[in-house]
Amino acid sequence: QVQLVESGGGRVQAGASLRLSCVVSGRTLNGTLSEYVMGWFRQAPGKEREAVGAISWSDGYTHYRDSVKGRFIISRDNTKKTVYLQMNTLKPEDTAVYYCAASPAGSDYDYWGQGTQVTVSS
């Protein structure tokens, strides 16, 4: 069983930056994270959850939704078993609860963190 714990959320003004962290613990496939894709999602009040982006743990390949391209960066630190979401030039429309999730070996995102609130004021 994999556990995910996010942190780093907060309240900032438009144009500011935040870095979210997601620490991975527990029993992973083959004892490593190499077969996982780690995703970041967000859910704003009254809206459906949407994918922000993801990173392949093995090779670091990333992809993002169009609205955050060029502003958000996903990275991972293997020694710390942590995935990061660097968010720059934040906009009020980025306000949401942000979640990280883990997809083992190409399956669905089976594991989710508890979420961290990001609020961006204009």
Side-chain angles (χ1 to χ4, degrees):
Q1 189 79 0
V2 172
Q3 291 86 43
L4 307 175
V5 178
E6 304 100 331
S7 63
R11 182 183 296 270
V12 297
Q13 290 192 327
S17 298
L18 278 175
R19 188 178 76 161
L20 306 184
S21 300
C22 174
V23 178
V24 185
S25 63
R27 188 172 182 178
T28 57
L29 293 175
N30 301 317
T32 73
L33 290 165
S34 62
E35 295 188 46
Y36 287 80
V37 172
M38 303 298 297
W40 283 98
F41 295 79
R42 65 187 182 186
Q43 187 167 20
K47 295 187 177 181
E48 293 188 354
R49 185 175 63 200
E50 62 184 21
V52 174
I55 185 168
S56 172
W57 199 283
S58 60
D59 60 9
Y61 175 79
T62 56
H63 61 87
Y64 305 92
R65 70 180 302 106
D66 286 347
S67 62
V68 306
K69 284 181 180 177
R71 298 190 299 123
F72 289 13
I73 301 170
I74 299 174
S75 61
R76 85 268 193 246
D77 185 325
N78 198 41
T79 57
K80 295 182 179 179
K81 293 187 177 180
T82 301
V83 179
Y84 301 100
L85 177 63
Q86 176 68 43
M87 304 185 294
N88 301 317
T89 319
L90 282 161
K91 304 176 180 180
E93 51 264 44
D94 295 319
T95 295
V97 178
Y98 283 72
Y99 301 89
C100 71
S103 166
S107 71
D108 294 337
Y109 284 98
D110 291 336
Y111 306 100
W112 293 81
Q114 83 287 353
T116 185
Q117 176 72 47
V118 172
T119 303
V120 185
S121 58
S122 57

